[in-house]
Structures are given as structure tokens and as C-alpha cells.
Amino acid sequence: MIRRREFITLLGGAAVWPVPSRAQRSTVALVGLLTSSRQDDRWLGALRQGLKEAGYIEGRNIAIKHRSADGHFDRVPALAAELVADSPALIIATSPPAALAAKAATATIPTIFLIGPDPVELGLVSSLSRPGGNVTGVTFLVKTLAAKRLQLLHEFVPGASLMGFLPNPTNPASASEPEIRDVQAASRALGLQLQILGASSERDIEAAFASFAQQRIRAILTAGDSFFLSQRDQMIAAAARHAIPTGYGLREFVAAGGLISYGTDFIDAYRLTGAYAGRILKGERPTDLPVQQSVKFELVINSKTARALGLGLPPTLLAAADEVIE
């Protein structure tokens, strides 16, 4: 059970996690947590669990200062600079914009990222095996998952020859373009036509879904994006209003009423990130720690949403699903 004080600290994206007493501060390491959007409580709990497994417990030997841009990427650099000014022992960045901002803000403070795109393509590390510099972390290579998500969505709606893809054009180009290219290649391999419309605001999301509906798009795949995660209720409502089957990258969308998701098990990925951060807090250097890849994925289906859309549940998908939400 989460105590009231802990619950309050988790709710605020800009909250400072519990700070120890004055007598303890000499042995407490400050960890900066930089995020582009509000984080699911379960993810933060998994991060704390990973740190705990490495021997670090907040309020005892670490304090965690969390800064979130709440889906506004333009705010991330200032938040990174704020964390750097506090001289933390370590910065954890959980999105490409956050990781890039942290790298730009400091060349000395160790930084651990958790991202989907290739960190070499982003310029975060020199190579996966020998990162170099002060940055390393965990990746789940989202661009390779996008093709799989398109395939699974097409299994759900096999008659859809025209499908839509919704990326966020304000996400750094180096993060979004590889995913777009991968989805385009996957659509060609499946013999599909693909319509791409971008969205980077609430108004854009409404306009994109309306345009997809007008063009008689039969199914929509959304990009992995922290802004979309923060707007998941709006996106799910728009998909329902226009009766368009929509696929997502995270379970959180399906738990909120979306149709289907396939992607990284973020509980496992955040735990792994916390454990890796613990190794740096113990004295290991980022340059000596190869980038890890989170390899645990999950397929989640919302059967109630499928019925509302008049879709059957393909036996192959049901057999492969890690979770079916009723």
C-alpha cells in the first residue's frame, strides 16, 4: 500500500521525491529524473524497485528530484539545466528529448537514458558496446516494434488496405523519422497504402482523426510518443467517435479503452533502468557500461473495445496476447 506522503510525491510531475533529514544528507545521493510527460505510477514504482535491488532506497541513501515537461518538448532543455544546476550524482532521462537535453546540458554528470530510438542515430553514444562520454542506458528500439504493431493491427482488421499512421512532427526528427521509415517499409511489405498525418497538439489530434475518417481510413497506427501518452484519453475518445480501430505502443492506452497495443513492457524496462543507475551510483562509469536492450514485450487487447467496433477477436491474436482486458 502506498502511504499518503509517497502518493502525493508521485502525482506531481514536478515534485521533489522525499528528501531525508539534515543528519542524513551527507550520505544521500541526489538523482535527477527528467521526463517529457507525466509518468505512470507503476513505471516510477518499477524504477524505484530497480534502484532498491541495487541497494538504493529513497529517503535512506538517495533523494530523487523529478522534473517533467508534461508533453511540451520545448520545456525540456530548461528543466535539464535546472537539474544540472543542482549537481546531482546522476540524471535519469526517460525519452529522446529528455536524453538529448541532458546530454547537451552536461558532459560530466553521469546520465542514464530509457528510450525507443537507436541511441547511436540520436548521437547520444558512440556505439552500443562502447558508449563513450558520460551517457549510457537502456533502449527498446521502437522503430523495429512499429512494423510488428502494423502487422498485428492488420490481423485485427484484415480487410483494411488503406491505413493511417499518426506521428508527432515536433518530436526530434532523429527520433521520429526512423519509425516513420520503418512503418512505410512494413506497409509496402503487407501491400497496404499508408496515409501519414502528424499531430503535436490537442487540436491536431482531433483534426487528424477527422481527416482519417473522411478519407475512409480503415485502421490507424500511432507512433510511440510521450505527448500522445499524455493525451491518451483524447486519442481513445477520437478513435471511438470515428469508429476507427487504432493500435498503440503501450498497454496504458488499451487499459484506458484503446483497442490493441504491442510494445515494451515498461515495468520491466524501468526496473532495468533503475538497476543500471544503481551500478553508476556505486562507482561504475557510463563509458564502461554498454547500452542494454529491454527485450520483454507485451501484446494487450481490449475485447470490449473490439466488440464496440464490431470486430471479431482473431484466434491467433488471442493465443499470442499477454493480456486481454474485458
Side-chain angles (χ1 to χ4, degrees), residues 185-203:
S187 67
R188 289 192 295 269
L190 291 169
L192 305 174
Q193 296 181 44
L194 189 70
Q195 178 67 30
I196 301 175
L197 293 176
S200 56
S201 68
E202 294 181 23
R203 179 179 297 180

Side-chain angles (χ1 to χ4, degrees), residues 200-278:
S200 56
S201 68
E202 294 181 23
R203 179 179 297 180
D204 289 346
I205 291 172
E206 294 297 333
F209 273 90
S211 179
F212 281 139
Q214 187 176 28
Q215 297 176 64
R216 300 184 184 279
I217 299 291
R218 295 286 304 279
I220 299 170
L221 182 69
T222 66
D225 186 272
S226 57
F227 170 69
F228 290 163
L229 179 63
S230 67
Q231 299 298 320
R232 60 185 177 275
D233 290 338
Q234 181 195 7
M235 296 180 72
I236 291 165
R241 187 164 56 253
H242 294 288
I244 304 178
T246 303
Y248 307 92
L250 292 174
R251 176 192 180 279
E252 283 66 29
F253 286 89
V254 182
L259 176 63
I260 183 174
S261 69
Y262 178 76
T264 297
D265 181 339
F266 265 37
I267 300 299
D268 181 70
Y270 272 73
R271 184 199 57 77
L272 182 62
T273 302
Y276 222 32

Side-chain angles (χ1 to χ4, degrees), residues 24-282:
Q24 292 175 303
R25 287 177 185 168
S26 60
T27 60
V28 171
L30 177 64
V31 174
L33 175 61
L34 183 62
T35 63
S36 295
S37 64
R38 288 186 179 274
Q39 303 291 283
D40 187 281
D41 289 352
R42 300 182 313 129
W43 301 351
L44 296 179
L47 180 70
R48 295 160 71 193
Q49 179 61 34
L51 283 162
K52 182 178 180 180
E53 290 171 2
Y56 292 93
I57 301 173
E58 57 182 304
R60 181 179 302 175
N61 54 3
I62 58 168
I64 302 179
K65 183 174 183 179
H66 183 187
R67 289 293 178 264
S68 172
D70 294 335
H72 300 281
F73 296 140
D74 58 326
R75 300 176 184 173
V76 177
L79 295 175
E82 180 184 338
L83 288 176
V84 168
D86 288 332
S87 299
L90 170 73
I91 294 175
I92 300 173
T94 66
S95 70
L100 289 167
K103 180 178 174 64
T106 178
T108 57
I109 298 173
T111 299
I112 292 282
F113 57 70
L114 173 59
I115 61 171
D118 187 332
V120 177
E121 290 185 9
L122 282 178
L124 289 169
V125 297
S126 299
S127 72
L128 298 181
S129 59
R130 304 182 69 86
N134 65 312
V135 180
T136 189
V138 178
T139 181
F140 44 91
L141 299 180
V142 70
K143 70 174 184 176
T144 62
L145 296 178
K148 180 66 173 179
R149 293 205 307 272
L150 186 70
Q151 176 190 336
L152 291 169
L153 181 60
H154 188 245
E155 286 186 43
F156 225 134
V157 195
S161 59
L162 180 60
M163 299 180 71
F165 181 57
L166 186 68
N168 179 358
T170 65
N171 207 326
S174 53
S176 61
E177 287 180 359
E179 187 176 5
I180 293 173
R181 291 196 299 267
D182 204 55
V183 171
Q184 288 174 322
S187 67
R188 289 192 295 269
L190 291 169
L192 305 174
Q193 296 181 44
L194 189 70
Q195 178 67 30
I196 301 175
L197 293 176
S200 56
S201 68
E202 294 181 23
R203 179 179 297 180
D204 289 346
I205 291 172
E206 294 297 333
F209 273 90
S211 179
F212 281 139
Q214 187 176 28
Q215 297 176 64
R216 300 184 184 279
I217 299 291
R218 295 286 304 279
I220 299 170
L221 182 69
T222 66
D225 186 272
S226 57
F227 170 69
F228 290 163
L229 179 63
S230 67
Q231 299 298 320
R232 60 185 177 275
D233 290 338
Q234 181 195 7
M235 296 180 72
I236 291 165
R241 187 164 56 253
H242 294 288
I244 304 178
T246 303
Y248 307 92
L250 292 174
R251 176 192 180 279
E252 283 66 29
F253 286 89
V254 182
L259 176 63
I260 183 174
S261 69
Y262 178 76
T264 297
D265 181 339
F266 265 37
I267 300 299
D268 181 70
Y270 272 73
R271 184 199 57 77
L272 182 62
T273 302
Y276 222 32
R279 293 178 62 176
I280 290 179
L281 290 172
K282 289 179 178 178

